[in-house]
Amino acid sequence: RNFSGQINQLLRAPRFPDLILISIGHNNVDWAWRCPPDELIAPERRLNYQCKEFRENYGRELRRVLRRAGRERHRVAIVVFGLINFGLYFKGREAVERLRESDTSLYPHLETTYKYLLSFHPAYRRNLIRLASMVNEELRTMVEQLQREISGNIQLRYSDALATADLSRAELLHPIDGWHASVEGHNVLAEAAFSDLELSLEFLGIKRPRGAVPNPPLERLTRDRRSLANEIPQPITRNRDSRLR
């Protein structure tokens, strides 16, 4: 389900949530997908266009949420998370690639990534990192502008918690494809997101002592990476319509 479909589902909820956390993935920064050959060489125009298109589509859906929240009688806290730090992420991916070179039994679906995300190819990563940074700045600016328009029962915040989380170690990426986060990687992201909810929880009347240690992470995966690599992975599917609409 794409972003607009998820917003539709949210707006149909019998009771509108008190706390809404919005985080998108990586489809919208796959700049090399369907990119004309000349723009692969000189991508400035494409990066700027894709960033502008992202802001328009994301802003439209966020405004739908805000309009509904404004009609509620209870408080609603909304957190817009920036994209992950792809500069750090690709350091982890490079570490995975080195491990794969030394032992081809590791990460059996490492190359499968490029069938679904062309921009993850080493030749295109630098501009993906640039685009993600541009998108995060657009999100920050958008939230600042919308904060001046919302009603008093709504708190809207931008969070860079995921954008600063460190995924630069190989063990934080999945042992099957080296693309998705591993269990430990998900813990890193979850802990980062949870640590930045204090203001939102206080707005909702949920008190937590400042500086309190977040909940302990989920149980970490203990099986050896080699044993996981021998498992049959679930089919990887991707609907390109999962981009923002």
Side-chain angles (χ1 to χ4, degrees):
R1 184 179 290 115
N2 58 26
F3 188 42
S4 61
Q6 294 177 44
I7 297 301
N8 288 340
Q9 184 178 15
L10 173 66
L11 298 180
R12 288 196 298 264
R15 186 191 186 282
F16 200 66
D18 302 285
L19 177 63
I20 301 172
L21 310 180
I22 305 178
S23 173
I24 67 165
H26 39 248
N27 287 358
N28 297 281
V29 289
D30 188 7
W31 70 274
W33 181 60
R34 293 184 177 177
C35 183
D38 60 325
E39 293 187 357
L40 283 174
I41 300 172
E44 294 300 323
R45 178 181 175 183
R46 183 170 184 84
L47 296 180
N48 288 322
Y49 170 80
Q50 196 157 330
C51 186
K52 178 182 177 182
E53 183 182 45
F54 169 87
R55 173 166 180 160
E56 291 174 353
N57 292 334
Y58 192 105
R60 180 181 63 248
E61 299 304 325
L62 182 56
R63 285 179 181 277
R64 293 176 64 202
V65 176
L66 293 173
R67 284 195 296 269
R68 169 65 188 274
R71 296 195 297 268
E72 298 298 321
R73 294 186 176 182
H74 63 272
R75 289 189 170 193
V76 179
I78 302 170
V79 182
V80 172
F81 287 98
L83 277 68
I84 67 167
N85 188 319
F86 280 100
L88 293 174
Y89 170 87
F90 282 127
K91 288 183 179 180
R93 175 81 179 186
E94 289 166 2
V96 163
E97 290 164 345
R98 290 192 294 270
L99 291 171
R100 169 77 170 168
E101 288 177 359
S102 63
D103 185 346
T104 56
S105 69
L106 299 176
Y107 305 99
H109 279 267
L110 183 69
E111 288 77 20
T112 304
T113 306
Y114 306 131
K115 296 180 181 179
Y116 302 94
L117 287 165
L118 181 60
S119 299
F120 272 44
H121 193 282
Y124 305 130
R125 289 176 185 174
R126 183 175 66 86
N127 285 313
L128 187 154
I129 294 170
R130 290 179 57 206
L131 179 56
S133 179
M134 293 165 63
V135 163
N136 283 348
E137 189 56 38
E138 289 292 339
L139 287 173
R140 185 192 304 275
T141 301
M142 181 195 312
V143 167
E144 290 176 353
Q145 293 174 347
L146 290 173
Q147 284 172 337
R148 297 191 286 267
E149 304 174 15
I150 57 179
S151 57
N153 71 312
I154 304 172
Q155 181 198 66
L156 175 66
R157 296 194 302 115
Y158 170 80
S159 171
D160 64 357
L162 300 184
T164 56
D166 189 348
L167 293 176
S168 62
R169 305 195 315 275
E171 61 267 26
L172 301 181
L173 301 183
H174 200 283
I176 296 297
D177 59 19
W179 163 15
H180 298 92
S182 65
V183 170
E184 187 173 354
H186 278 292
N187 283 329
V188 168
L189 295 174
E191 290 169 11
F194 186 85
S195 68
D196 199 24
L197 294 184
E198 188 170 291
L199 292 176
S200 299
L201 296 177
E202 288 184 357
F203 177 77
L204 296 173
I206 303 172
K207 299 296 183 181
R208 183 165 67 89
R210 289 187 180 275
V213 178
N215 288 343
L218 300 173
E219 181 179 356
R220 285 182 164 79
L221 197 62
T222 58
R223 286 178 291 173
D224 181 78
R225 181 183 291 120
R226 288 178 181 270
S227 66
L228 277 172
N230 292 327
E231 295 181 0
I232 299 176
Q234 294 295 321
I236 300 175
T237 60
R238 183 184 181 199
N239 179 358
R240 296 310 302 233
D241 289 337
S242 60
R243 290 169 179 263
L244 286 176
R245 290 291 184 268

